[in-house]
Amino acid sequence: MTTSSTRDQSHPRFLALVAASLTCATLTFSAAPAMSAEPTNALQHGRELAQACAACHGVNGNTVNPTLYPNLAAQAPAYLELQLANFKSGERPNPIMKGFAASLSNTDMHDLGVYFGAQIAKAQPQSNHELEEKGKRIFTNGGSTGAPACASCHGAQGHGQAAFPRIASQPANYTLEQLHVYRDAPKFNNPLAMIMKSVAVKLSEDEMKSVAAYIATVP
């Protein structure tokens, strides 16, 4: 389940996985000016830049508010870098994240990806065993009306593979919101997002809630 590259603006709580997806209105990257990566390595430079992300995504990429914001920790660095570039260009519309990304150089985006990718993601606590077990079956085997197994693209543990991002440990509310975006948006420019749309339209609301609940608990 990749994070969408565009969205219907009627979904105001859309947040990116850049990790998510991936916003906080109270800070901007201009509050933490981009520093030249020349005197420091990518990890250290990314850590410095990540201070501006901490209020929403946590300084280590584990969100401080799982009802609103996604985790960025352990996400594929190249995926995070691409999402930031898409926010900056407008390919992935999100006014708040565009404000964050506007001042970032290519090096900044790369180094943020490196930093968050190196962090350890924290799974959400289990809360509804029956719902999570149903979600596990969908994740592993697919939905009742032909939706393919999430594991077929995102890996057996949801840690991502190839061009598909990590989805394990993402808060359930965020994953459910993204599935709604994929289902409801008329189309996407990104081919991977169109793949996700073809999956989401085959999932019932109950199946979406179930698989989102399961994914949240996977470390």
Side-chain angles (χ1 to χ4, degrees):
M1 296 170 198
T2 60
T3 307
S4 57
S5 60
T6 186
R7 83 168 311 319
D8 183 336
Q9 291 302 308
S10 66
H11 295 274
R13 290 181 58 235
F14 172 69
L15 304 169
L17 232 189
V18 177
S21 105
L22 316 182
T23 66
C24 181
T26 57
L27 292 174
T28 63
F29 274 110
S30 60
M35 300 168 57
S36 170
E38 293 299 329
T40 184
N41 61 34
L43 192 65
Q44 177 60 34
H45 184 221
R47 180 183 293 111
E48 293 163 357
L49 291 170
Q51 300 305 310
C53 313
C56 297
H57 302 291
V59 69
N60 63 357
N62 288 285
T63 179
V64 297
N65 189 341
T67 64
L68 292 177
Y69 307 116
N71 287 335
L72 306 183
Q75 187 57 268
Y79 181 79
L80 290 175
E81 183 179 353
L82 175 62
Q83 298 313 300
L84 285 169
N86 286 344
F87 284 129
K88 183 174 183 176
S89 71
E91 169 70 16
R92 182 173 176 180
N94 185 301
I96 298 173
M97 278 306 303
K98 185 175 178 66
F100 276 98
S103 64
L104 295 177
S105 68
N106 291 341
T107 297
D108 294 335
M109 289 186 270
H110 172 269
D111 293 354
L112 276 166
V114 168
Y115 171 71
F116 283 122
Q119 306 310 302
I120 297 174
K122 297 178 181 178
Q124 311 301 305
Q126 295 182 347
S127 60
N128 186 325
H129 179 74
E130 183 178 353
L131 191 68
E132 291 154 7
E133 282 299 306
K134 180 177 180 179
K136 182 177 181 179
R137 291 193 294 271
I138 297 167
F139 181 91
T140 305
N141 301 315
S144 61
T145 58
C150 310
S152 62
C153 290
H154 296 281
Q157 299 300 316
H159 291 176
Q161 57 185 8
F164 297 93
R166 177 190 173 98
I167 55 175
S169 308
Q170 285 296 354
N173 284 0
Y174 176 75
T175 298
L176 181 61
E177 178 78 11
Q178 298 309 297
L179 287 170
H180 287 164
V181 171
Y182 286 123
R183 180 193 65 193
D184 298 339
K187 65 178 181 178
F188 300 96
N189 294 328
N190 187 319
L192 291 178
M194 286 303 294
I195 292 174
M196 269 308 307
K197 180 171 180 60
S198 71
V199 174
V201 297
K202 295 178 181 177
L203 292 171
S204 68
E205 184 68 15
D206 183 63
E207 287 176 325
M208 288 184 181
K209 290 179 179 178
S210 299
V211 77
Y214 169 67
I215 285 169
T217 67
V218 180

